[in-house]
Amino acid sequence: MDRAAHRFLDRRGLREGRGSSRWRRAAVELAVFALKQGWAAIFGGLLLACILAARLWWPDDAPLARNDALTIAAVLIQAAMLALRLETLRELWVVVLFHVAGTVMELFKTDVGSWAYEAEGLLRIGAVPLFSGFMYAAVGSYMVRTMRMFDLRFTRYPPLWATIVVAVGIYANFFTHHFIWDVRWVLVGAVLVLWVGCVMRFRVLRTQRGTQLGMPVVVAFGLVAIVIWGAENLATLGGAWLYPNQVDGWQPVSGSKIVSWFLLMILSVVLVTLVHRPRRPDDRSPASAAGPGSPDVHRHDADTPPAIHGDDTTDCSNENKEPGHV
């Protein structure tokens, strides 16, 4: 995408992006941004497509249950992500960990009646089909791929230990609020206190020197939560699972679920930072994994353009510096 966009800019003399050409270059970067966002979410997009296709075309009397077919499809998608080097093995363990955390929560939530799946198929644990965990894995996959594809940098990122404490509290509240007080708004406040001063820096076009853009991290969290909520509406429309108020006829998922996804996403963000530690805008080191000496630090994966590995003659990591603390 980067190379194609640069060729397009060169042919039309938009490389510098000055004067009237600035807006045309911005339009190109916006198109590339949208395409990269879709590519980062390829795991979730394919899984959602499978859910909708299964609802529309999978025969009710097929020898293989619909939920089992979805589980097999999810496993094949994950295998393809690794085979095509869209995810690294080191990133996979974070995706799997989020998968396990999501499945445990699914077991509890279905038991207390928060939502329900069709009681069919063999590939399930209790009332929870195994494909459900891959929906959480898809969120984790999106996070790790976005971190790499946009070369995310952060100013004033909160201390790692503090983010872990909040993430543990968020996960616990999904269980404990059924028995004691629901403290989700306290947790939302804690997220805002920790991340309100943090700014995310990223580049849309990365193979050569380009504009460094910025966005408050809490705004990015909110936007992603809204997108996930939209995907959840499509998934419930496809019958992947149903909330109690949807049993007698589908209706949109309550907007309050955006807060739930906002909080659950924080757990995914914290898990991702265990693999891709947040870096300052002036950090010129390659995108690294959990620490020095990681075997995947210089891996050429399919989503990482040569510039991130230092193969490009133009360095883009030292432009638009802004002091900050990680």
Side-chain angles (χ1 to χ4, degrees):
M1 294 182 195
D2 286 328
R3 295 188 183 97
H6 279 297
R7 286 196 295 267
F8 180 86
L9 293 172
D10 285 341
R11 286 198 299 268
R12 285 160 176 76
L14 304 177
R15 169 71 68 179
E16 299 301 325
R18 296 174 179 172
S20 61
S21 67
R22 176 183 178 185
W23 301 107
R24 285 180 287 172
R25 178 186 172 92
V28 172
E29 292 203 23
L30 180 61
V32 174
F33 177 82
L35 289 172
K36 282 189 173 184
Q37 285 289 324
W39 186 236
I42 188 66
F43 191 159
L46 289 175
L47 185 55
L48 181 58
C50 289
I51 289 172
L52 295 176
R55 174 55 58 183
L56 291 173
W57 297 302
W58 196 264
D60 292 334
D61 58 350
L64 183 66
R66 182 184 291 108
N67 285 348
D68 288 350
L70 288 174
T71 299
I72 293 171
V75 171
L76 292 176
I77 293 171
Q78 181 64 82
M81 297 286 289
L82 289 174
L84 298 175
R85 298 193 301 175
L86 301 182
E87 289 175 357
T88 67
L89 289 174
R90 184 172 291 275
E91 290 166 348
L92 178 63
W93 79 263
V94 172
V95 173
V96 170
L97 187 58
F98 197 42
H99 181 137
V100 172
T103 300
V104 171
M105 190 171 70
E106 289 282 333
L107 289 168
F108 176 81
K109 290 291 189 177
T110 53
D111 186 61
V112 298
S114 295
W115 56 78
Y117 294 90
E118 291 183 342
E120 62 175 15
L122 299 175
L123 302 178
R124 57 193 176 97
I125 302 174
V128 179
L130 296 182
F131 81 83
S132 66
F134 285 95
M135 294 185 290
Y136 296 88
V139 176
S141 174
Y142 167 79
M143 293 296 177
V144 295
R145 284 162 57 71
T146 298
M147 184 78 79
R148 282 191 284 108
M149 290 171 64
F150 291 95
D151 191 22
L152 299 187
R153 310 296 180 98
F154 302 89
T155 61
R156 297 178 294 278
Y157 197 88
L160 184 62
W161 67 266
T163 65
I164 292 174
V165 170
V166 171
V168 170
I170 288 172
Y171 189 65
N173 189 67
F174 280 109
F175 298 86
T176 59
H177 82 85
H178 290 277
F179 311 107
I180 57 176
W181 299 283
D182 186 354
V183 295
R184 72 180 62 194
W185 292 109
V186 174
L187 293 166
V188 169
V191 170
L192 294 178
V193 168
L194 279 180
W195 276 279
V196 72
C198 181
V199 176
M200 177 179 69
R201 300 289 180 180
F202 62 96
R203 296 179 188 274
V204 177
L205 300 177
R206 298 189 46 206
T207 53
Q208 296 187 23
R209 189 180 298 270
T211 304
Q212 189 180 67
L213 304 174
M215 176 185 292
V217 168
V218 291
V219 173
F221 291 165
L223 292 175
V224 174
I226 292 172
V227 171
I228 296 175
W229 173 76
E232 182 182 33
N233 274 279
L234 291 176
T236 55
L237 180 62
W241 71 91
L242 294 175
Y243 290 102
N245 65 336
Q246 296 175 321
V247 173
D248 295 328
W250 184 86
Q251 54 185 294
V253 177
S254 170
S256 64
K257 293 294 181 182
I258 296 176
V259 178
S260 298
W261 280 114
F262 178 87
L263 291 174
L264 192 61
M265 190 182 59
I266 299 301
L267 176 61
S268 177
V269 168
V270 173
L271 289 175
V272 170
T273 58
L274 299 180
V275 167
H276 292 297
R277 295 294 174 84
R279 294 180 296 153
R280 295 185 298 267
D282 58 353
D283 185 352
R284 301 181 62 181
S285 63
S288 62
S294 166
D296 288 330
V297 167
H298 298 289
R299 173 171 177 162
H300 286 251
D301 55 82
D303 291 326
T304 307
I308 196 171
H309 300 291
D311 297 338
D312 191 33
T313 56
T314 305
D315 172 53
C316 64
S317 63
N318 202 33
E319 188 181 12
N320 294 335
K321 288 185 181 179
E322 178 172 327
H325 301 282
V326 176

